[in-house]
């Protein structure tokens, strides 16, 4: 089984960069994962709630450790998230298009984490 499929089978996700704005990918991704039956936590220090759910300011604030982190933030913010994920023992990072650069990929590899570069909206169909 490939890594993409493996990640999609995991049921607890965190969307870093979740948004309250329906036209933003941070909202669309969060909503679609929820609609597909995943347990999803929105992570964004700018919001109290997303789609009626409590929003968390960082990964360490989540009530449980997610199996997969979906990144919907720019690579600069992504680097902090990868560092935090590694500290918390979160192994799987899903990178949306436009959320990574060479430096971020290198950091993920240095930390020994798994990553997929794909749009979750497309992968879930």
């Amino acid at each position: 089984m490939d890594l993409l499929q493996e990640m999609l089978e995991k049921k607890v996700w965190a969307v870093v960069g979740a948004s309250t704005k329906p036209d933003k990918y941070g909202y669309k991704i969060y909503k679609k994962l929820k609609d597909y039956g995943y347990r999803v936590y929105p992570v964004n220090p700018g919001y109290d709630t997303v789609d009626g759910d409590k929003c968390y300011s960082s990964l360490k604030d989540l009530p449980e450790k997610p199996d997969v982190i979906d990144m919907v933030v720019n690579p600069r913010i992504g680097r902090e998230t990868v560092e935090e994920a590694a500290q918390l023992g979160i192994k799987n990072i899903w990178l949306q298009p436009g959320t990574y650069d060479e430096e971020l990929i290198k950091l993920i590899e240095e930390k020994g984490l798994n990553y997929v570069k794909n749009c979750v909206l497309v992968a879930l169909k």
Side-chain angles (χ1 to χ4, degrees):
M1 181 185 338
D2 70 353
L3 196 53
L4 182 143
Q5 206 49 51
E6 220 174 280
M7 284 193 199
L8 287 175
E9 287 186 5
K10 299 192 179 297
K11 289 298 172 201
V12 183
W13 286 54
V15 176
V16 175
S19 174
T20 58
K21 299 178 180 88
D23 60 323
K24 296 282 192 192
Y25 283 111
Y27 178 84
K28 290 176 183 173
I29 290 162
Y30 180 72
K31 186 95 174 82
K32 187 151 190 177
L33 285 165
K34 252 175 64 167
D35 291 348
Y36 270 69
Y38 291 89
R39 198 154 64 245
V40 196
Y41 295 103
V43 178
N44 188 328
Y47 300 112
D48 293 329
T49 61
V50 170
D51 197 39
D53 302 319
K54 178 174 171 40
C55 189
Y56 298 87
S57 52
S58 71
L59 295 173
K60 69 179 180 324
D61 297 327
L62 297 175
E64 66 181 314
K65 185 168 90 172
D67 299 315
V68 183
I69 297 167
D70 190 307
M71 304 270 266
V72 199
V73 291
N74 74 45
R76 187 179 46 78
I77 294 170
R79 284 189 264 290
E80 296 165 25
T81 304
V82 168
E83 293 281 1
E84 192 179 14
Q87 286 168 1
L88 295 170
I90 301 164
K91 292 281 180 217
N92 298 303
I93 313 273
W94 188 290
L95 299 165
Q96 293 295 136
T99 63
Y100 55 88
D101 56 18
E102 276 180 46
E103 202 179 314
L104 184 71
I105 299 294
K106 194 171 161 231
L107 178 65
I108 291 171
E109 289 172 348
E110 281 170 7
K111 298 287 180 190
L113 307 178
N114 303 319
Y115 67 93
V116 165
K117 298 188 286 192
N118 202 311
C119 179
V120 84
L121 296 173
V122 174
L124 286 174
K125 291 177 189 60

